[in-house]
Amino acid sequence: MTGAVIRWAAQVYRLLLQLTPTSFRCEYGNEMVTLFRERCARAAETGGWLAVLVCAVRGWTDVVWCAFAGRFHIGERRADPSPIASDTRLRVLATDARIAARTFLRQPLFTGTVLLTLAIGIGAPTAIFGIVHKAVLRPLPYPRAAELVSVVQNDVRFGPVPFSVPYLDDFRDRLGQFESLAGFTSSWNLTLTGSGEPRVVTASYVSDGLLELLGSEIAQGRNISAAEHASGTARVVVVSPAFWRQQFGEGAPFDEPIVRLNDVPHVIVGVLRDDLVMPITGSIVNDSRTSAEIWLPLSTNEMASLRMIPIMNLIGRLRAGATLAAAQAELVATASVLGNEHPEVAVDEVLVMPLQTLVSRDIRAPMLLLLAATAGLLLIACANVGHLMLARAAGRSGELAVRASLGATRARLVTQMLIESLILAASSAVFGIGVAWLSLRVFPALGLERLPPSATPVVDVRVTLFAVCCALATAMLVGIVPALAASRLSPHNVLKETGRTTAGRGRKARQMLVFAEVSVALVLLISAGLLARSFWTLTSVDSGIRADRVLAGEVALPASRYSDGSVRSAFVEAALARLAATRDVVDAALVNRLPFSGSNVLVGVEVEGLATGADAPTMDRRVVSPDYFDAMGIPLLTGRPFGSEDRPGTDDYVAIVNATAARRYWPDREPIGRRVRLLLRSGPGPWLRIVGIAGDVRHHGLDQAPQPEIYVPYSQAPVESFTLLVRTNADPLALSPVLRQTIQQLDSELPLNHLAVASDGIAQSIAEPRMRTLIFNLFASVSLLLATIGIYGVISYSVATRTRDIGLRLAFGAQRADIFRLVLREGMVIVFAAVIVGIGGSLVFTRFLEAQLFGVSATDPITFTTVTAVLLVAAFLAHVIPATRAMRLDPAQALRAE
Amino acid sequence: MAKRIDPEQHLPLTTVAFEILLAVASQERHGYDIMVSIEERTGGRLSLNPGTLYRAVDRLVREGLLEAAERRLKSGETRRFFRLSRTGSKVAAAEARRLADQVRAARAAELLSRGDV
């Protein structure tokens, strides 16, 4: 039995022996095992299997210690002569680096090409990362922003949507997972008078606690007090430093001045420290930020008590230790309870999510796609440079062979070549950062005006680190293959052979490079093609309006002087009459909310004859003057426009609906003559008789289906704020002074706001897709260029290495055309294979593009075939010159070549 | 011309190294023999495990104090036998002299009495 134990113990010993240094093990390993067994056998004689076990354990620990000590040279008086001291090692590396740098400087063409290629390859991802970092990862400029959460309703059509003000107190009372919760409205336009020129200011109604959540404070004066917030009637405000500067001057002493907002006096009690931009979390409005000049108490908002009107964004902070999941569960339960308490208000699905995520939700996917595209670009750049390095390494095989035969280990040679790659990559990284910096200046924010607050991308520490990481990865990618390939050569064989033939050895690697380049380039090109087509389709969508010659200006009639509807109507009639009579004005009209301005009014509608359920129809409501449709170029499909016969108080209220509404609610009947009524906040309105059907306007976005719209005449619904429109045949902005003057003449205290061309909103709504498509296509084009150059380089090199071979063929009677075909075929076979893989890859990758595509499927065959054809042509062209050169070789010279 | 080897360079020897040199001073031995010899000499106090033993042997061989030779045993197996090289015997002698010197000093300091030696 002890014999078995000894045998088994010896097995373990042998295993542990593997830990010892190789040379030692080879020399003495067997002896050690024998000695171990003998010791164990001796122990067996005296003490049985237990003694054997004890002896075995001693032996095992001894060998493990021996291994450890052996590797780290413990207990040896003098260091062994062979391992180089570590500081010598560093010195050697430094020398390598210096030599490499000198060599590179002496080969400017090679070095220049590599640096340029890699600078683009590293610069592009760095620039995009800069934007991704700011826009997606850290979009909020507030301290501790990562902790902020937002509470929103998720509307199926519009996405995150705000709550009405009464919910603030409801949530505060019931949501225990939240440490703090604050609410604020989106931008609210108020007319400022009583302090210099009247003008329209951007205001926001805020609750208490908001300033703390945003990590800011008051610089002068005081904040609105809790009592003032609670009262609901406090006419106090806090202003932004920009407002203070503009209104009173930089160093003006703070003395609680009074200003009139919409003709109501308010006291300025404090000035903020920062010009805060507030993140709009949920809005039917297409705006993700507001920079309010004036903060008023939320409780004083005229709709503060109305549960049906959602105007309030909610942000907060969770209690320490509370999880998002727990908060979500609590929120859902609370919302359901509140839903039962207030059945008249429908609350959509409620969500609590990190504010950062919410604010960057639209940008996330497209930016990540762009980042992926730049990764592809970098890969192609690396492939090109990799080939250059391979060629260079092959050219140095003689030198490396000599060094190897003089005693350089393989590790040494590989290290040196990796250092060279690292130097190249590091220098390129520096240029790449420069490229990134430059492009971030030239394309500021990529036209992303809707970016979350203060997300100006800049080249900072993290971005630089990213560039460095790219450079490191590049160095590895680009350096490792040639280094290994070159160091694998047996010195003996290399020194025997002549130059040209040894270079042929890298063939497999070169083919792989071409393969990789072409397939990645194809994926990029197809994606770019799809995006381009999608954008093209988007721009050809009919917006529904023809308004490039229309000037628009916002007017807000203050309640104090225009309290009565008839007074407002009178003003409007007078204004429109004057404007229409002005020279150069073709049409003058007004609308409550300009299409494509991002602002909208949604109302519930009751359609006569249609059962009203919980799913009440809703329509966008527009209040317009009679000439509106002419002014905006909106066709009137049937019926009649509004006119002077539509007066208030006649008991005959009229409306015009758009084609979508007609289709949806009167699918098989004539809408004209039917009746609807609007469910306003004050209750259902009067019955409206439909007198006309207007063309659809894609107000919510060119890529969205048009929503039902209802138009009512201004004379029957005189709202206080609206946009005046003047249509001209000349430049609309030239009419700005005229418009201003006309308003001033009618009322000197009335400001005109946001003067712009009416169709600007359309361009703005597609500015983002335009920029993104442009950038993506830019990357794809550069990839195609690089890939073509890469193919040309590889084929040229391949031809050069096979000069003798070609000479032989020619000498043996091959036709020149055969040579051409030979070169072409060998290269194009790889290209075709790569194209097939590339198409496969595209079919997978373009799935991620689907969300960005409009009117084009992710597997659109036209795009796929066109792009593939373009790439094949480019690849063919890349072959032409080298193949022609091969074809023209003089056989005699070729055979002599080395 | 042969390089002058100064035996003093190798001093002081480690305990294990000197014991090994002692063990092979009179005759060449293989690993097991060396171990047994040392055990007997030290009365069981120093019982070398294979790893420690062969590490020390390896160093001594590399430093030129030991020479190794493969020999065939009566049983038929081949084992590596070790013996003192010329340098090795010089070094061992020098170490012994050094230790003796220390012992003399200890006696003079009355750490050792005549009976202990």
Side-chain angles (χ1 to χ4, degrees):
Chain A
M1 192 244 192
T2 52
V5 175
I6 293 175
R7 266 196 306 276
W8 166 78
Q11 289 283 58
V12 176
Y13 192 80
R14 242 184 235 284
L15 214 66
L16 292 173
L17 208 54
Q18 296 299 315
L19 295 170
T20 55
T22 321
S23 54
F24 178 77
R25 190 167 67 241
C26 289
E27 192 76 19
Y28 299 106
N30 286 329
E31 303 266 335
M32 286 169 69
V33 174
T34 314
L35 186 54
F36 176 79
R37 292 177 73 119
E38 285 170 350
R39 280 179 64 96
C40 290
R42 199 180 56 165
E45 284 166 24
T46 51
W49 64 266
L50 191 62
V52 170
L53 209 54
V54 168
C55 180
V57 169
R58 281 217 181 97
W60 292 337
T61 47
D62 169 70
V63 73
V64 169
W65 165 250
C66 176
F68 182 72
R71 285 197 190 272
F72 294 102
H73 304 291
I74 295 174
E76 292 173 36
R77 262 199 335 262
R78 290 181 297 281
D80 271 14
S82 43
I84 307 175
S86 55
D87 64 303
T88 317
R89 225 187 290 247
L90 271 175
R91 250 180 279 140
V92 167
L93 287 178
T95 315
D96 275 347
R98 234 195 346 266
I99 295 178
R102 262 210 302 269
T103 326
F104 287 139
L105 286 174
R106 260 194 252 120
Q107 299 175 323
L109 191 61
F110 168 84
T111 313
T113 314
V114 169
L115 285 181
L116 181 65
T117 313
L118 286 184
I120 296 176
I122 296 179
T126 307
I128 298 297
F129 178 78
I131 296 175
V132 165
H133 182 245
K134 264 308 172 62
V136 175
L137 299 176
R138 298 263 179 282
L140 300 173
Y142 323 119
R144 295 169 67 197
E147 298 173 20
L148 293 176
V149 296
S150 62
V151 180
V152 292
Q153 306 185 57
N154 203 22
D155 180 281
V156 158
R157 273 167 309 171
F158 304 111
V161 157
F163 286 91
S164 56
V165 179
Y167 279 95
L168 180 62
D169 284 327
D170 288 339
F171 283 145
R172 275 177 168 174
D173 291 335
R174 300 169 203 230
L175 292 179
Q177 299 284 322
F178 283 79
E179 172 190 291
S180 58
L181 208 54
F184 59 98
T185 64
S186 331
S187 30
W188 212 275
N189 285 347
L190 300 174
T191 309
L192 174 76
T193 48
S195 172
E197 270 248 352
R199 64 186 183 95
V200 174
V201 291
T202 326
S204 177
Y205 290 82
V206 307
S207 74
D208 53 320
L210 183 67
L211 199 57
E212 287 73 26
L213 273 177
L214 297 180
S216 182
E217 52 187 32
I218 297 284
Q220 299 185 66
R222 63 171 177 87
N223 200 353
I224 304 172
S225 72
E228 284 164 340
H229 275 294
S231 79
T233 52
R235 304 290 170 203
V236 289
V237 299
V238 165
V239 298
S240 70
F243 174 86
W244 184 262
R245 263 196 308 272
Q246 180 178 6
Q247 204 64 23
F248 301 105
E250 179 73 47
F254 184 74
D255 55 354
E256 297 204 349
I258 298 183
V259 289
R260 297 176 78 88
L261 299 168
N262 280 7
D263 264 346
V264 176
H266 285 73
V267 182
I268 301 178
V269 295
V271 180
L272 293 169
R273 186 190 63 190
D274 313 301
D275 287 314
L276 282 173
V277 178
M278 297 195 284
I280 303 302
T281 62
S283 183
I284 306 177
V285 167
N286 224 9
D287 191 3
S288 73
R289 56 181 168 172
T290 190
S291 185
E293 305 173 82
I294 302 192
W295 290 22
L296 299 99
L298 185 59
S299 50
T300 61
N301 185 288
E302 59 213 2
M303 310 203 216
S305 54
L306 299 172
R307 200 169 273 277
M308 309 254 312
I309 311 290
I311 55 169
M312 177 184 66
N313 303 277
L314 274 175
I315 64 174
R317 188 171 276 134
L318 293 179
R319 217 169 270 294
T323 63
L324 215 55
Q328 172 73 19
E330 188 185 45
L331 180 66
V332 168
T334 308
S336 141
V337 166
L338 288 171
N340 292 333
E341 289 177 17
H342 305 278
E344 72 279 11
V345 181
V347 173
D348 298 300
E349 171 199 352
V350 284
L351 280 175
V352 57
M353 61 165 82
L355 189 58
Q356 275 177 189
T357 317
L358 185 64
V359 144
S360 63
R361 72 190 182 279
D362 288 334
I363 283 308
R364 194 168 283 257
M367 292 315 302
L368 290 177
L369 271 171
L370 268 178
L371 199 61
T374 56
L377 184 61
L378 181 57
L379 272 173
I380 295 179
C382 285
N384 271 15
V385 171
H387 174 245
L388 283 172
M389 299 287 280
L390 256 184
R392 186 162 176 269
R396 292 168 69 193
S397 57
E399 170 213 334
L400 292 174
V402 169
R403 293 184 62 197
S405 59
L406 284 177
T409 61
R410 187 161 168 213
R412 184 88 187 73
L413 292 177
V414 172
T415 313
Q416 190 200 7
M417 300 194 75
L418 281 178
I419 288 183
E420 293 177 359
S421 316
L422 202 61
I423 291 179
L424 279 178
S427 324
S428 309
V430 170
F431 286 114
I433 292 177
V435 166
W437 183 82
L438 207 69
S439 30
L440 285 180
R441 298 286 274 235
V442 169
F443 299 105
L446 281 191
L448 298 166
E449 284 91 18
R450 273 201 306 127
L451 262 190
S454 160
T456 333
V458 77
V459 175
D460 62 3
V461 175
R462 272 194 205 88
V463 173
T464 313
L465 267 174
F466 180 82
V468 168
C469 287
C470 282
L472 280 173
T474 306
M476 288 315 279
L477 268 175
V478 153
I480 200 93
V481 168
L484 286 178
S487 64
R488 198 176 297 141
L489 300 170
S490 116
H492 180 66
N493 291 336
V494 172
L495 289 171
K496 245 189 346 177
E497 288 174 5
T498 51
R500 278 276 154 78
T501 46
T502 53
R505 207 174 303 257
R507 193 133 183 250
K508 261 269 139 56
R510 284 203 300 277
Q511 286 177 336
M512 296 276 293
L513 285 177
V514 170
F515 187 88
E517 270 188 302
V518 171
S519 40
V520 171
L522 189 64
V523 173
L524 272 180
L525 285 166
I526 288 181
S527 308
L530 286 173
L531 279 175
R533 247 199 111 187
S534 158
F535 185 72
W536 185 256
T537 315
L538 192 66
T539 52
S540 29
V541 165
D542 186 5
S543 61
I545 64 174
R546 305 263 174 284
D548 355 313
R549 302 265 187 212
V550 177
L551 179 68
E554 284 178 17
V555 172
L557 299 175
S560 55
R561 282 174 288 127
Y562 295 89
S563 53
D564 189 55
S566 55
V567 179
R568 296 196 288 268
S569 289
F571 172 86
V572 160
E573 272 184 41
L576 290 179
R578 281 187 196 224
L579 286 170
T582 312
R583 204 164 57 103
D584 287 337
V585 172
V586 172
D587 288 305
L590 71 73
V591 64
N592 62 335
R593 299 295 164 96
L594 188 65
F596 294 104
S597 63
S599 146
N600 200 30
V601 177
L602 197 67
V603 285
V605 171
E606 187 187 329
V607 176
E608 191 176 48
L610 222 58
T612 49
D615 218 359
T618 56
M619 299 193 194
D620 294 340
R621 171 174 165 256
R622 300 222 184 271
V623 179
V624 299
S625 68
D627 285 337
Y628 174 74
F629 298 102
D630 287 335
M632 294 291 277
I634 301 175
L636 199 60
L637 301 173
T638 56
R640 66 163 180 84
F642 299 136
S644 47
E645 62 268 37
D646 305 310
R647 290 239 148 271
T650 58
D651 245 0
D652 185 17
Y653 290 91
V654 293
I656 294 177
V657 295
N658 71 349
T660 302
R663 258 198 311 276
R664 193 177 295 188
Y665 301 115
W666 299 275
D668 25 83
R669 295 169 291 162
E670 175 63 58
I672 299 196
R674 306 270 166 204
R675 306 203 301 172
V676 295
R677 59 180 180 179
L678 305 178
L679 306 170
L680 303 168
R681 54 186 145 100
S682 43
W687 284 104
L688 309 170
R689 186 170 55 89
I690 296 176
V691 297
I693 302 180
D696 286 332
V697 174
R698 286 175 184 261
H699 166 78
H700 293 277
L702 291 178
D703 56 340
Q704 308 282 339
Q707 297 293 319
E709 247 180 324
I710 185 163
Y711 298 88
V712 292
Y714 187 85
S715 47
Q716 292 180 343
V719 293
E720 291 123 346
S721 68
F722 47 82
T723 302
L724 283 172
L725 303 161
V726 282
R727 186 188 188 85
T728 175
N729 285 326
D731 174 27
L733 290 171
L735 282 178
S736 311
V738 169
L739 188 54
R740 238 189 256 280
Q741 264 168 13
T742 312
I743 302 303
Q744 287 286 299
Q745 279 163 10
L746 286 172
D747 184 341
S748 58
E749 289 227 326
L750 207 54
L752 197 60
N753 206 28
H754 291 147
L755 272 173
V757 177
S759 59
D760 278 354
I762 304 179
Q764 230 168 26
S765 72
I766 56 172
E768 225 173 271
R770 164 182 281 127
M771 251 307 171
R772 267 187 268 125
T773 309
L774 252 169
I775 304 282
F776 207 101
N777 275 272
L778 181 67
F779 288 154
S781 311
V782 173
S783 305
L784 179 62
L785 186 66
L786 283 178
T788 312
I789 293 176
I791 297 175
Y792 167 79
V794 168
I795 304 294
S796 293
Y797 189 79
S798 168
V799 164
T801 64
R802 301 174 62 195
T803 319
R804 280 175 77 196
D805 175 49
I806 296 174
L808 268 172
R809 286 174 195 259
L810 286 172
F812 276 106
Q815 298 297 317
R816 299 202 179 265
D818 293 334
I819 303 294
F820 188 90
R821 266 199 297 273
L822 176 76
V823 173
L824 199 66
R825 189 176 47 232
E826 292 193 350
M828 289 306 276
V829 161
I830 305 287
V831 170
F832 271 112
V835 160
I836 293 180
V837 169
I839 290 182
S842 301
L843 287 170
V844 170
F845 182 74
T846 53
R847 210 161 298 181
F848 297 105
L849 277 179
E850 262 170 3
Q852 321 295 327
L853 294 178
F854 173 73
V856 170
S857 96
T859 53
D860 177 45
I862 298 181
T863 313
F864 270 69
T865 43
T866 320
V867 170
T868 309
V870 167
L871 183 64
L872 285 172
V873 166
F876 174 79
L877 287 174
H879 279 77
V880 162
I881 297 181
T884 316
R885 214 183 300 137
M887 201 169 76
R888 297 234 185 90
L889 279 176
D890 171 21
Q893 257 186 349
L895 285 170
R896 268 200 301 267
E898 293 228 343
Chain B
M1 178 158 163
K3 200 164 82 168
R4 254 312 194 83
I5 298 166
D6 180 15
E8 299 277 318
Q9 266 184 325
H10 298 265
L11 302 189
L13 289 175
T14 62
T15 314
V16 171
F18 190 49
E19 291 289 343
I20 293 173
L21 292 181
L22 278 179
V24 298
S26 48
Q27 66 183 96
E28 67 175 19
R29 297 182 195 270
H30 62 73
Y32 184 74
D33 261 352
I34 295 175
M35 185 200 78
V36 166
S37 164
I38 293 174
E39 269 183 5
E40 284 173 358
R41 204 205 71 70
T42 58
R45 271 198 316 265
L46 197 52
S47 178
L48 292 177
N49 272 288
T52 316
L53 174 66
Y54 279 104
R55 247 190 95 214
V57 163
D58 182 45
R59 263 189 61 212
L60 289 169
V61 167
R62 276 190 280 123
E63 287 177 357
L65 305 184
L66 277 184
E67 281 166 355
E70 301 265 339
R71 301 237 184 278
R72 189 172 289 269
L73 293 178
K74 285 187 292 288
S75 58
E77 341 161 30
T78 39
R79 296 272 242 165
R80 197 171 299 191
F81 278 72
F82 301 97
R83 62 162 188 271
L84 271 187
S85 68
R86 286 199 57 197
T87 322
S89 57
K90 288 207 185 91
V91 169
E95 176 73 3
R97 273 196 297 275
R98 185 187 73 85
L99 288 170
D101 182 54
Q102 279 186 331
V103 167
R104 267 197 297 275
R107 256 199 228 130
E110 294 187 353
L111 292 169
L112 274 179
S113 60
R114 281 243 138 212
D116 291 328
V117 175

